[in-house]
Coordinates of all heavy atoms in Angstrom, one line a residue:
D80 N -8.8 -6.9 1.7 CA -8.6 -6.7 3.1 C -7.0 -6.9 3.4 O -6.6 -8.1 3.3 CB -9.4 -7.8 3.8 CG -9.3 -7.7 5.3 OD1 -8.4 -7.0 5.8 OD2 -10.1 -8.4 6.0
L86 N -3.4 -14.0 8.0 CA -4.0 -15.3 8.2 C -3.4 -16.3 7.2 O -3.7 -17.5 7.3 CB -5.5 -15.2 8.0 CG -6.3 -14.2 8.8 CD1 -7.8 -14.3 8.7 CD2 -5.9 -14.4 10.3
M143 N -14.9 -7.3 19.1 CA -16.0 -8.2 19.2 C -16.5 -8.5 20.6 O -15.7 -8.2 21.5 CB -15.7 -9.6 18.5 CG -14.5 -10.3 19.1 SD -14.0 -11.7 18.1 CE -12.4 -12.1 18.9
V173 N -3.4 -23.5 13.4 CA -4.1 -22.3 13.9 C -4.4 -21.3 12.7 O -5.4 -20.6 12.6 CB -3.3 -21.6 15.0 CG1 -2.0 -20.9 14.4 CG2 -4.1 -20.4 15.6
E176 N -7.5 -22.7 10.7 CA -8.7 -22.4 11.5 C -9.0 -20.9 11.6 O -10.2 -20.5 11.6 CB -8.5 -22.8 12.9 CG -8.6 -24.4 13.1 CD -9.8 -25.1 12.7 OE1 -10.9 -24.4 12.8 OE2 -9.9 -26.2 12.3
A177 N -8.0 -20.1 11.6 CA -8.2 -18.6 11.5 C -8.9 -18.2 10.2 O -9.8 -17.3 10.2 CB -7.0 -17.8 11.7
R178 N -8.5 -18.8 9.2 CA -9.1 -18.6 7.7 C -10.6 -19.0 7.8 O -11.5 -18.4 7.2 CB -8.3 -19.3 6.7 CG -6.9 -18.6 6.5 CD -6.2 -19.1 5.2 NE -5.8 -20.5 5.3 CZ -4.7 -20.9 5.7 NH1 -3.7 -19.9 6.1 NH2 -4.3 -22.1 5.7
A180 N -12.5 -19.2 10.4 CA -13.2 -18.2 11.2 C -13.5 -16.9 10.5 O -14.6 -16.3 10.7 CB -12.5 -18.0 12.5
Y181 N -12.5 -16.5 9.7 CA -12.7 -15.2 8.9 C -13.9 -15.5 7.9 O -14.7 -14.6 7.7 CB -11.5 -15.1 8.0 CG -11.5 -13.8 7.1 CD1 -11.0 -12.6 7.7 CD2 -12.0 -13.8 5.9 CE1 -11.1 -11.4 6.9 CE2 -12.0 -12.7 5.2 CZ -11.6 -11.5 5.6 OH -11.6 -10.4 4.8
K182 N -14.1 -16.6 7.3 CA -15.2 -16.8 6.4 C -16.5 -17.0 7.0 O -17.6 -16.6 6.5 CB -14.9 -18.1 5.5 CG -13.7 -17.9 4.5 CD -13.3 -19.2 3.8 CE -12.0 -18.9 2.9 NZ -11.6 -20.1 2.2
P184 N -17.4 -16.3 10.8 CA -17.1 -16.0 12.3 C -18.3 -16.3 13.1 O -19.4 -16.2 12.8 CB -16.8 -14.5 12.2 CG -17.6 -14.0 10.9 CD -17.5 -15.2 9.9
A186 N -18.9 -14.7 15.9 CA -19.3 -13.5 16.6 C -19.0 -12.4 15.5 O -18.2 -12.6 14.6 CB -18.4 -13.3 17.8
V188 N -17.6 -9.2 14.1 CA -16.3 -8.6 14.1 C -16.4 -7.1 13.6 O -16.9 -6.9 12.5 CB -15.2 -9.4 13.5 CG1 -13.9 -8.7 13.5 CG2 -15.1 -10.7 14.0
Y195 N -10.8 -6.3 8.3 CA -11.1 -6.8 9.7 C -9.8 -7.2 10.4 O -8.9 -7.8 9.8 CB -12.1 -8.1 9.6 CG -13.5 -7.6 8.8 CD1 -13.6 -7.8 7.6 CD2 -14.5 -7.3 9.7 CE1 -14.9 -7.4 7.1 CE2 -15.7 -6.8 9.2 CZ -15.9 -7.0 7.8 OH -17.2 -6.6 7.3
P196 N -9.9 -6.9 11.6 CA -8.6 -7.2 12.4 C -8.4 -8.7 12.5 O -9.1 -9.5 13.0 CB -8.9 -6.6 13.8 CG -10.4 -6.7 13.9 CD -10.9 -6.4 12.5
D197 N -7.1 -9.1 12.1 CA -6.8 -10.5 12.1 C -6.8 -11.1 13.4 O -7.1 -12.3 13.6 CB -5.3 -10.7 11.4 CG -4.3 -9.8 12.1 OD1 -4.3 -8.6 11.6 OD2 -3.5 -10.2 12.9
E198 N -6.4 -10.3 14.5 CA -6.4 -10.9 15.9 C -7.7 -11.5 16.2 O -7.7 -12.5 17.0 CB -6.0 -9.7 16.9 CG -4.6 -9.2 16.8 CD -4.4 -8.0 15.9 OE1 -5.3 -7.7 15.1 OE2 -3.4 -7.4 16.1
A199 N -8.8 -10.9 15.9 CA -10.1 -11.5 16.2 C -10.2 -13.0 15.7 O -10.8 -13.8 16.4 CB -11.2 -10.7 15.5
F200 N -9.7 -13.3 14.6 CA -9.8 -14.7 14.0 C -8.8 -15.6 14.7 O -9.0 -16.8 14.7 CB -9.7 -14.6 12.4 CG -10.7 -13.5 11.9 CD1 -10.3 -12.4 11.4 CD2 -12.1 -13.8 11.9 CE1 -11.2 -11.4 10.8 CE2 -12.9 -12.8 11.5 CZ -12.5 -11.6 11.0
F201 N -7.6 -15.0 15.0 CA -6.7 -15.8 15.8 C -7.2 -16.2 17.1 O -7.0 -17.4 17.6 CB -5.3 -15.1 15.9 CG -4.5 -15.1 14.6 CD1 -4.1 -14.0 14.0 CD2 -4.0 -16.4 14.2 CE1 -3.3 -14.0 12.8 CE2 -3.2 -16.5 13.1 CZ -2.9 -15.3 12.3
I202 N -7.9 -15.2 17.8 CA -8.6 -15.6 19.1 C -9.6 -16.7 18.9 O -9.6 -17.6 19.6 CB -9.3 -14.3 19.7 CG1 -8.2 -13.3 20.1 CG2 -10.2 -14.7 20.7 CD1 -8.8 -11.9 20.5
M203 N -10.4 -16.6 17.9 CA -11.4 -17.6 17.6 C -10.8 -19.1 17.3 O -11.1 -20.1 17.8 CB -12.3 -17.3 16.4 CG -13.2 -16.1 16.6 SD -14.3 -15.8 15.3 CE -14.8 -14.1 15.6
A204 N -9.6 -19.0 16.5 CA -9.0 -20.2 16.1 C -8.3 -20.9 17.3 O -8.3 -22.1 17.5 CB -7.9 -19.9 15.1
M205 N -7.7 -20.0 18.2 CA -7.0 -20.5 19.4 C -8.0 -21.2 20.3 O -7.9 -22.2 21.0 CB -6.3 -19.4 20.1 CG -5.0 -19.0 19.2 SD -4.3 -17.5 19.8 CE -3.4 -18.0 21.2

Side-chain angles (χ1 to χ4, degrees):
D80 181 347
L86 305 183
M143 57 190 174
V173 66
E176 288 297 334
R178 290 190 290 270
Y181 182 92
K182 293 176 181 176
V188 178
Y195 293 92
D197 52 280
E198 287 96 342
F200 308 107
F201 280 118
I202 289 171
M203 293 183 198
M205 293 166 74

